[in-house]
Amino acid sequence: MSAAGVSPAGRLARELADHLAQRGVESRVSECEGVALVGVARVGLNVWCEWSGSEWRFRWSLDAPTEPGKWRYTCCPASCVETAARRIAGLFQERREAMDGPVSSRAGRAGR
């Protein structure tokens, strides 16, 4: 931990959460013992902030929590936080639409 009491993983998780918030994606940071997780609301998406042996990275599952079988993961270097936020926000949107239907169709149904 740093002198301020925040681990590198926690600092990166908060930075990612800030970038996601700028894209309209609500998330929550959890940190304990130098491990950090960014939980993305409503869609069961968790992003690990982890040391890969050579660099810090963000890692998350491409599969929805309701999909059975072997999970597939992807990652992005933490040095590319804007890229990670863009990719995660896109996955958030896909999962939200799969759960709720496209935003435009919801608006159309509400207006009937």
Side-chain angles (χ1 to χ4, degrees):
M1 292 235 192
S2 70
V6 177
S7 72
R11 181 186 54 75
L12 291 168
R14 285 172 183 75
E15 184 177 356
L16 178 61
D18 289 344
H19 280 267
L20 289 170
Q22 292 170 9
R23 293 178 172 276
V25 177
E26 183 181 333
S27 65
R28 183 177 192 170
V29 173
S30 300
E31 180 184 9
C32 183
E33 303 287 331
V35 176
L37 180 76
V38 179
V40 179
R42 295 188 52 216
V43 296
L45 177 59
N46 294 307
V47 181
W48 293 96
C49 302
E50 63 186 13
W51 179 250
S52 69
S54 60
E55 66 182 354
W56 285 96
R57 68 181 180 183
F58 302 113
R59 182 174 57 97
W60 62 95
S61 173
L62 295 171
D63 305 301
T66 57
E67 295 176 13
K70 194 171 186 176
W71 287 44
R72 299 168 299 135
Y73 288 88
T74 191
C75 61
C76 184
S79 60
C80 301
V81 67
E82 182 60 34
T83 299
R86 181 178 36 80
R87 291 173 62 196
I88 293 164
L91 185 57
F92 168 81
Q93 185 67 28
E94 287 175 20
R95 288 189 185 178
R96 193 178 76 181
E97 287 181 4
M99 293 169 58
D100 300 340
V103 173
S104 59
S105 69
R106 282 201 319 271
R109 285 195 302 261
R112 291 184 190 163

